[in-house]
Amino acid sequence: MAKKRRPQTKAATPSAVDGPIPVVGAREPCPCGSRRRYKACHGREAAHAVAELVQRPFEGLPNEADWVALRELVPAATVELTLKGGLPEGVPSVTLATVLPMAWPALRRDNGAVLLGLQNDTASGDLSRDLADTLRRALVAAPGSPVAAERVGTDGPRLQDLLDPEGAFEPAVHTGFEFWVENAENATGEVAASLDRANAAAIPTVRLSGVDAAYWCETPDKNHLRWVMTHPEEELLDALARLHAAGTSSLGEGTRLVGSFRAHGLTVPVWDLPSAMRAEDIEKPAAAFAERLAVALADDAPLTAEERRARGGLTSRQITLN
């Protein structure tokens, strides 16, 4: 039986609309006035942007591994950012924060300082471009106001275009979210109550000082070390397998390499630690492990059967965070 053909009609031309086109449901009429569904009109561009996932959005920035850690692993931390060409007039500082109150993408303080939130959902597949767009809007926002989320185009600048590649990136890990407000010690009422609720949910976390991008954290049953590494994943897994098979992948008595995360193109090995082991106790063992890992990374011999089994076990215990 022949299929019934639909009458052929001329497609409507999108109308010119001042300002950005709002995001609506895929089957709703496009706000541009074309009389077409959003998914077949301006929604195509948004879907295309989402599909183009940038695997390593922080690549090329100072301390890429710490960017990943602050995005995925650390509850409360801040970093002072350095912009190319210096700070605009009226902006005394730009500070990256893991999260901001009400999950705001950014806010401009009364004194003109900018806080940029890192742990927010983004609309496109390029986290760096989304954050750069938020930062640019925060720099010109009215003092004392938050910056709302917006859909980002595919041709705007990225963080790599706005931040000084020679600028320092030194995370300050906090025990709570007092950095949200100025003079937090004098907070009262709902502000104080909000801080108390947020602080109660924060997992105690410490950044190790002797190695890069390694973060100790405390949980009720056991502690952990989460170490973000920039080595190519396949080479790193081979090296970890060599150490695991040799019985040298731990960080001391009672510790165990239990697997790894994948996050923004980097691998994050994770160790279980005894509850009594504090951050300062893991500094020397972590530095010693870094030396063993460097040797294992330099070994290009084929993996033995035992090392291949160890690698398979590590691979099976990988979890992708993003």
Side-chain angles (χ1 to χ4, degrees), residues 193-245:
S194 295
L195 282 174
D196 288 342
R197 288 193 295 269
N199 290 346
I203 296 174
T205 302
V206 176
R207 181 177 185 265
L208 299 193
S209 60
V211 294
D212 293 333
Y215 291 80
W216 170 94
C217 66
E218 180 180 23
T219 60
D221 297 327
K222 63 187 70 175
N223 299 337
H224 305 279
L225 184 71
R226 301 163 175 172
W227 192 340
V228 187
M229 298 184 176
T230 57
H231 310 293
E233 182 180 20
E234 297 304 314
E235 295 177 18
L236 177 58
L237 288 174
D238 281 353
L240 292 173
R242 295 183 195 279
L243 296 177
H244 202 61

Side-chain angles (χ1 to χ4, degrees), residues 258-280:
V258 293
S260 62
F261 296 130
R262 280 197 194 102
H264 304 289
L266 300 185
T267 304
V268 188
V270 178
W271 285 263
D272 280 351
L273 311 174
S275 297
M277 183 172 279
R278 314 304 295 174
E280 57 270 22

Side-chain angles (χ1 to χ4, degrees), residues 29-72:
C30 187
C32 75
S34 67
R35 302 194 305 278
R36 301 172 69 185
R37 288 179 176 175
Y38 178 68
K39 69 176 183 179
C41 193
H42 281 85
R44 283 181 173 176
E45 180 182 346
H48 182 66
V50 170
E52 292 184 342
L53 177 64
V54 176
Q55 296 292 338
R56 289 180 63 174
F58 305 118
E59 187 175 16
L61 292 173
N63 294 46
E64 177 190 6
D66 280 305
W67 277 91
V68 172
L70 268 55
R71 166 72 181 184
E72 300 294 340

Side-chain angles (χ1 to χ4, degrees), residues 282-304:
I282 206 70
E283 289 280 6
K284 287 185 178 180
F289 177 85
E291 294 179 359
R292 298 196 299 275
L293 180 63
V295 173
L297 285 166
D299 187 348
D300 58 1
L303 296 180
T304 66

Side-chain angles (χ1 to χ4, degrees), residues 137-150:
R137 290 187 288 115
L139 292 171
V140 296
S145 63
V147 176
E150 286 189 7

Side-chain angles (χ1 to χ4, degrees), residues 115-138:
L115 289 178
L116 176 66
L118 182 57
Q119 295 179 6
N120 291 303
D121 292 333
T122 57
S124 82
D126 188 350
L127 179 57
S128 177
R129 197 181 308 281
D130 293 340
L131 288 167
D133 178 78
T134 301
L135 174 57
R136 292 176 74 195
R137 290 187 288 115

